[in-house]
Amino acid sequence: MKEKFKKITASQVTISELMLPSHSNFNGKIHGGYILRLLDQIAFACASKHSGVYCVTASVDTVDFLNPIEIGELVTMKASVNYVGRSSMVIGIRVEAENIQTGAVKHCNSSHFTMVAKDEEGRSVQVPGLILETDDDIRRFVKSIKRGANKKKRRNEFQATDFASAEYIHLLEEHNVKLEM
C-alpha cells in the first residue's frame, strides 16, 4: 500500500456506452444482465484504482433498477468508493441513460458492490483509507456502515434458524401460496 489515505475523487471512474439492439431483452429494453456486467466492470476498475491492486467482487449488495434503458440511449455509469474497511471497499455506482436526440437524462440504477483487494497469492491486503471532504462523502460512508450492519444482522438471523415449517407456517397465511403437503 503506497498511500495511507486517498481522496474519493482520486479513484472515481466514469464510463459511457451506447446501448445497441444486441444488448436488449425480448421486450426491447436493455437486458438487466448486460447492465450487471457493466456494473461489475466499473466496480472492479474503481476498487482497483483506489487500492492499487487486483480486486474481486465479494458481494453485490444492492442493485435497484429504477427505470428501463432503451436501445439507442447513451448509458453513463459513475463509480466511487463510498466506504473502506481493512481490505474491503464499498463501491457506489449511479447509472443514467441519456436520449441522445432530446438530451433527456434519467436515473436508471443505483448499485453497491463490496470489493476486496488481493495480492498475487490471493490473500486480502490492506487498502488506503478515505479522505472525506463533503457532507455527501460522510453521508455515503455512514450509509455504507448501516447497510453493512443490516447485512450482518440478516446473515446472522438466517444462520440462527433452519426455518422449519412448523415454526413459520403461520407466516404463509398472508402470502399467495397454496399448501399441498
Side-chain angles (χ1 to χ4, degrees), residues 139-174:
R139 180 182 55 78
R140 288 184 183 111
F141 195 92
V142 171
K143 283 179 104 173
S144 293
I145 292 170
K146 297 293 270 179
R147 200 177 296 108
N150 288 338
K151 181 175 155 183
K152 185 176 182 178
K153 180 181 172 188
R154 187 174 55 251
R155 182 174 45 241
N156 290 341
E157 177 185 348
F158 276 78
Q159 290 174 349
T161 183
D162 63 0
F163 291 94
S165 61
E167 292 180 55
Y168 293 95
I169 202 160
H170 68 279
L171 295 176
L172 302 177
E173 294 170 358
E174 58 192 62

Side-chain angles (χ1 to χ4, degrees), residues 67-85:
N67 287 296
I69 300 171
E70 307 291 336
I71 295 169
E73 289 184 323
L74 182 65
V75 168
T76 300
M77 296 186 176
K78 300 172 186 175
S80 59
V81 180
N82 288 357
Y83 169 86
V84 295

Side-chain angles (χ1 to χ4, degrees), residues 40 43-44 47 55-59 87-91 113-117:
D40 192 49
F44 166 81
C55 294
V56 297
T57 305
S59 66
S87 62
S88 66
M89 296 153 280
V90 173
I91 309 301
F113 281 55
T114 298
M115 308 296 288
V116 177

Side-chain angles (χ1 to χ4, degrees), residues 101-113:
Q101 294 171 333
T102 67
V105 176
K106 61 185 173 186
H107 180 198
C108 296
N109 186 300
S110 289
S111 302
H112 298 92
F113 281 55

